[in-house]
């Protein structure tokens, strides 16, 4: 078992600066959990407290039910992979991977077996006699991961391990780390600011902002049921659009007025919006949930002007504007779009999200809670 529990964990620096504030997280055995959020949100500090590299100011940390607050890093049976690889330049790949085992006085034959097994898994056997300077960034990262694997830790910790790689290699390494998780059947905690990494790799995502946990859940649950405007805007690429609209009622039906257009919410959402009649709310709609309306005659169709066209091959990102508010649409490349053109889109209203203008909390929280049961 390799269950990790953070109970009310906080990190307070001098001057009462709360880098992490009352974090409660359960990482189940064999889960791949990703901490995600913008720079300075406290995700790396949280990981370092799990590793023992940062002292815990408040709260309790348990690994396999054992309290770890005062246990030295070397005795926690964890292995950490850093952003900068942290390889010894004067040592060969084999020596780098074997170093921790030699310190622990593991038998030479066992060291040899573990290093070659890890190298085989990571496809770096042919590099064992090379120095790190003779390797590419991706190969160095594999060595850093291999050094962690040979220790047979209870928990793997990854601190933005792919951020120094180019875009193509990051995609490849994402897939390799996900495959590695399955093959090792291990507990992994991974920190990144890249929500695409989080969405594609995690069993469970922990979204953080300003030292506080915003929401915890599976990638698809967070994508479809964000608890607040921050999570809605952070999860998804391109980010969710947010339009300020006024909730009104016409002919007995709830209507959302943007200023230059009106749309009707989905019936299952209208009931939750009635309490906001006469008030403004944030209307959230994802770029992929805006359907191009070539004839401009569909229900809830509205007109916008194209400001930027980004052709990406498989799809096109259109940067648009209403009279006063910007938004982005993600559409198929079957039409010729030009900057300055006026075009119509229909939002898939059943996919829309709504947020309180003051608290930025989801107006559909009660509906989402019912859906999760």
């Amino acid at each position: 078992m390799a269950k990790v529990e953070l109970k009310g964990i906080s990190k307070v620096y001098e001057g009462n600066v709360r880098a992490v504030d009352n974090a409660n997280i359960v990482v189940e055995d064999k889960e791949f959990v990703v901490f995600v959020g913008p720079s300075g949100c406290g995700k790396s500090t949280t990981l370092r407290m799990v590793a023992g590299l940062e002292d815990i100011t408040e709260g309790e940390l348990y690994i396999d039910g054992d309290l770890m607050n005062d246990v030295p890093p070397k005795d926690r049976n964890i292995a950490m992979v850093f952003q900068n690889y942290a390889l010894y330049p004067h040592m060969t790949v084999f020596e780098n991977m074997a170093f921790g085992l030699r310190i622990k006085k593991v038998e030479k034959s066992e060291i040899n077996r573990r290093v070659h097994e890890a190298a085989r898994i990571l496809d770096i056997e042919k590099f064992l006699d090379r120095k790190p300077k003779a390797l590419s960034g991706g190969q160095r990262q594999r060595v850093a991961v291999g050094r962690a694997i040979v220790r047979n830790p209870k928990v793997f910790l990854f601190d933005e391990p792919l951020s120094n790689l180019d875009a193509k290699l990051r995609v490849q390494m994402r897939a390799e780390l996900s495959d590695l998780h399955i093959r090792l059947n291990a507990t992994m905690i991974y920190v990144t600011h890249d929500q695409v990494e989080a969405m594609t790799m995690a069993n469970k995502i922990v979204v953080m902002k300003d030292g506080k946990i915003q929401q915890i859940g599976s990638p698809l649950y967070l994508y479809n049921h964000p608890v607040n405007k921050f999570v809605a805007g952070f999860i998804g690429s391109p980010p969710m659009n947010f339009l300020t609209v006024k909730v009104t009622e016409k002919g007995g039906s709830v209507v959302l007025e943007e200023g230059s257009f009106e749309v009707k919410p989905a019936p299952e959402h209208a009931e939750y919006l009635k309490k906001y009649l006469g008030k403004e709310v944030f209307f959230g709609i994802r770029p992929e949930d805006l359907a191009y309306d070539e004839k401009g005659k569909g229900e809830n169709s509205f007109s916008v002007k194209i400001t930027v066209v980004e052709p990406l091959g498989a799809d096109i990102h259109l940067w648009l504007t209403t009279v006063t508010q910007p938004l982005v649409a993600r559409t198929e490349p079957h039409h010729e779009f030009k900057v300055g053109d006026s075009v119509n889109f229909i939002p898939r209203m059943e996919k829309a999200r709504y947020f309180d203008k003051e608290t930025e909390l989801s107006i559909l929280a009660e509906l989402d809670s019912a859906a999760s049961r």
Side-chain angles (χ1 to χ4, degrees):
M1 290 288 290
K3 183 178 182 179
V4 180
E5 296 177 88
L6 287 72
K7 296 185 176 182
I9 295 289
S10 296
K11 178 64 182 180
V12 184
Y13 290 110
E14 189 176 348
N16 200 32
V17 176
R18 284 190 168 265
V20 179
D21 188 11
N22 192 34
N24 290 282
I25 305 167
V26 177
V27 180
E28 299 291 352
D29 183 40
K30 301 171 185 173
E31 264 194 324
F32 195 133
V33 174
V34 176
F35 298 171
V36 68
S39 297
C41 73
K43 56 189 184 295
S44 287
T45 302
T46 304
L47 191 77
R48 290 173 65 83
M49 285 192 285
V50 174
L53 302 178
E54 290 277 0
D55 292 332
I56 295 170
T57 308
E58 301 165 359
E60 297 175 334
L61 170 70
Y62 294 88
I63 298 179
D64 283 353
D66 296 326
L67 184 63
M68 289 286 141
N69 287 46
D70 299 319
V71 176
K74 66 182 179 64
D75 297 326
R76 295 191 181 195
N77 200 7
I78 54 93
M80 192 161 180
V81 178
F82 296 92
Q83 177 179 347
N84 62 358
Y85 319 137
L87 301 177
Y88 297 108
H90 61 287
M91 294 183 182
T92 65
V93 167
F94 183 97
E95 290 166 341
N96 265 282
M97 292 173 66
F99 183 75
L101 299 179
R102 285 175 173 164
I103 292 295
K104 289 190 172 185
K105 298 188 174 3
V106 175
E107 288 187 10
K108 190 173 182 180
S109 60
E110 177 64 9
I111 291 175
N112 193 61
R113 184 191 70 77
R114 289 197 201 178
V115 170
H116 277 89
E117 174 64 13
R120 183 189 63 76
I121 290 172
L122 297 165
D123 194 25
I124 54 173
E125 286 180 289
K126 56 183 172 291
F127 305 130
L128 287 175
D129 293 329
R130 296 188 189 180
K131 300 281 182 68
K133 66 181 180 181
L135 304 178
S136 67
Q139 290 161 352
R140 291 180 195 177
Q141 191 55 272
R142 287 191 182 92
V143 175
V145 173
R147 183 176 54 191
I149 291 174
V150 298
R151 295 180 56 188
N152 294 332
K154 286 185 176 180
V155 184
F156 288 85
L157 307 178
F158 296 89
D159 190 6
E160 305 224 27
L162 308 184
S163 59
N164 288 338
L165 305 180
D166 62 58
K168 183 179 179 181
L169 193 52
R170 277 204 305 273
V171 173
Q172 179 185 335
M173 287 299 295
R174 282 205 313 257
E176 290 185 10
L177 286 176
S178 295
D179 180 61
L180 185 66
H181 171 247
I182 295 169
R183 293 170 69 178
L184 296 179
N185 210 15
T187 302
M188 294 185 173
I189 305 176
Y190 187 103
V191 160
T192 181
H193 64 276
D194 185 340
Q195 59 88 24
V196 175
E197 280 184 23
M199 288 289 289
T200 55
M201 298 173 71
N203 303 134
K204 184 162 68 184
I205 295 176
V206 178
V207 183
M208 299 184 70
K209 177 190 177 188
D210 299 333
K212 293 181 180 291
I213 293 174
Q214 302 296 303
Q215 190 172 3
I216 301 175
S218 69
L220 283 180
Y221 188 82
L222 297 191
Y223 177 84
N224 290 312
H225 307 286
V227 297
N228 58 33
K229 184 171 177 276
F230 174 79
V231 174
F234 197 85
I235 299 295
S237 180
M240 180 180 280
N241 298 296
F242 297 106
L243 298 174
T244 298
V245 297
K246 186 175 182 179
V247 183
T248 62
E249 192 171 26
K250 292 186 179 179
S253 298
V254 175
V255 175
L256 307 173
E257 296 181 349
E258 191 272 340
S260 60
F261 65 84
E262 295 179 356
V263 292
K264 288 184 179 181
E268 63 269 27
H269 297 164
E271 196 64 33
Y272 296 91
L273 289 164
K274 280 185 177 179
K275 67 179 74 171
Y276 287 89
L277 286 174
K279 297 180 181 179
E280 288 186 335
V281 301
F282 291 117
F283 165 45
I285 191 75
R286 295 197 181 277
E288 54 268 36
D289 292 327
L290 287 169
Y292 176 54
D293 183 20
E294 188 171 7
K295 296 181 179 180
K297 295 181 180 180
E299 184 182 8
N300 284 333
S301 182
F302 62 89
S303 178
V304 286
K305 184 172 286 189
I306 299 174
T307 58
V308 177
V309 178
E310 290 184 339
L312 298 174
D315 54 20
I316 295 176
H317 292 177
L318 296 177
W319 295 76
L320 312 163
T321 183
T322 67
V323 173
T324 58
Q325 302 188 75
L327 66 161
V328 180
R330 182 176 178 176
T331 187
E332 296 179 348
H334 302 323
H335 305 277
E336 188 172 335
F337 297 103
K338 295 179 181 178
V339 172
D341 284 355
S342 290
V343 292
N344 279 63
F345 280 88
I346 300 173
R348 297 183 177 92
M349 298 304 290
E350 73 279 4
K351 296 286 190 179
R353 312 300 303 171
Y354 304 95
F355 304 93
D356 186 287
K357 194 82 181 290
E358 294 181 5
T359 67
E360 297 193 351
L361 295 176
S362 172
I363 292 170
L364 304 179
E366 187 178 335
L367 186 63
D368 290 340
S369 179
S372 67
R373 290 198 291 268

